Amino acid sequence: MFQRFRRTRLNRHLRALVRETHVTVDDFIYPLFVRRGENIKIEVASMPGVYQMSIDEAVKECAVLKDLGLYSIILFGIPDVKDSIGSDALCEHGIIASAVREIKKAHPDMFVVTDLCFCEYTDHGHCGIIDDERETVDNDATLEISGQQAIIHAKAGADMIAPSGMMDGIIETLRTYLDRAGFNDLPIMAYSTKFASGYYGPFRDVAESTPSFGDRSSYQMDPANRREAIAESISDEKQGADILMVKPALAYLDIVREIKDNTSLPMAVYNVSGEYAMLKFAGMNNLIDYERVVMETMTAFKRAGADIIISYHAKEVAQMLKNR
């Protein structure tokens, strides 16, 4: 006798009872982009609904997020002045450290993650100190200043640090620096498998971080490499990462699943700017049922194995879930 799968689909309440994958507001981290000034809220043309904000506006935004049930954010900084080593990121009065202090002061119940990198802070747009001879990032010199940046974030009150520069050995370096400074309990969410992707375009508009020469293929992963992707994440786990991540998400769900099957650590995905923009503009032009496709996409991330979703859709998803 053949199995009648439709028996459990005919009634909507039974469909809900047997549903395997669930999306909740607690799954999300919402990105915020902060800059100097006051009363600044500039919408990014390539990412409708996403803004560059002054710190005071970011503090207000946190209140809006909490009303939606969103209590986790990840901060990206846009400094006034950029130089060859990203000095703003190495200063306790830099944009990220200042933003963390103000947000935690106003909203101590917010969970504040800091993106740790140098691409937004350098005048060349790369993720660390440049090796001029080879015209790429000097891995080990960048590790040293990354450790310094981590301590600044920790002292400012960050609840978790997320290093996105893809330097070899970054997790072990940060864990060593943080532990020596007494921040043994501060977790690290590794950008453990981050691809050199074309999906990042709109992010570089909002973060003002487009490289002035070359690209990031020498330190971000080749999108074609599956085995290397798994090895990168397992390496970060061994170095002491608390959470692993795959970035981008949508085109790499096979990688999410394989890493999930090879680790016991929580898995995050970064639903990146290009993925967001595609759905946003398709929805604005009535090409798709926007809310349905957004929720279908979030469900796909969870079904593939993601425990955490970093997404520019997070506010919209929270409202959709609230409306239900």
Side-chain angles (χ1 to χ4, degrees), residues 233-255:
S233 280
I234 298 306
S235 175
D236 279 2
E237 179 179 20
K238 291 177 179 178
Q239 290 178 47
D242 299 285
I243 298 170
L244 303 178
M245 185 199 301
V246 173
K247 179 182 180 181
L250 195 57
Y252 298 93
L253 296 184
D254 59 322
I255 304 299

Side-chain angles (χ1 to χ4, degrees), residues 64-75:
V64 174
L65 295 173
K66 290 198 295 185
D67 284 343
L68 290 168
L70 291 166
Y71 282 80
S72 298
I73 58 173
I74 182 167
L75 291 179

Side-chain angles (χ1 to χ4, degrees), residues 121-134:
Y121 308 96
T122 55
D123 52 14
H124 47 72
H126 281 281
C127 298
I129 295 174
I130 295 297
D131 179 335
D132 292 323
E133 185 176 333
R134 294 190 298 162

Side-chain angles (χ1 to χ4, degrees), residues 204-217:
R204 290 169 184 169
D205 292 339
V206 63
E208 300 178 6
S209 62
T210 302
S212 61
F213 65 90
D215 58 30
R216 297 178 179 142
S217 297

Side-chain angles (χ1 to χ4, degrees), residues 152-165:
I152 289 167
H153 290 192
K155 288 181 176 178
D159 295 300
M160 183 160 68
I161 290 173
S164 60

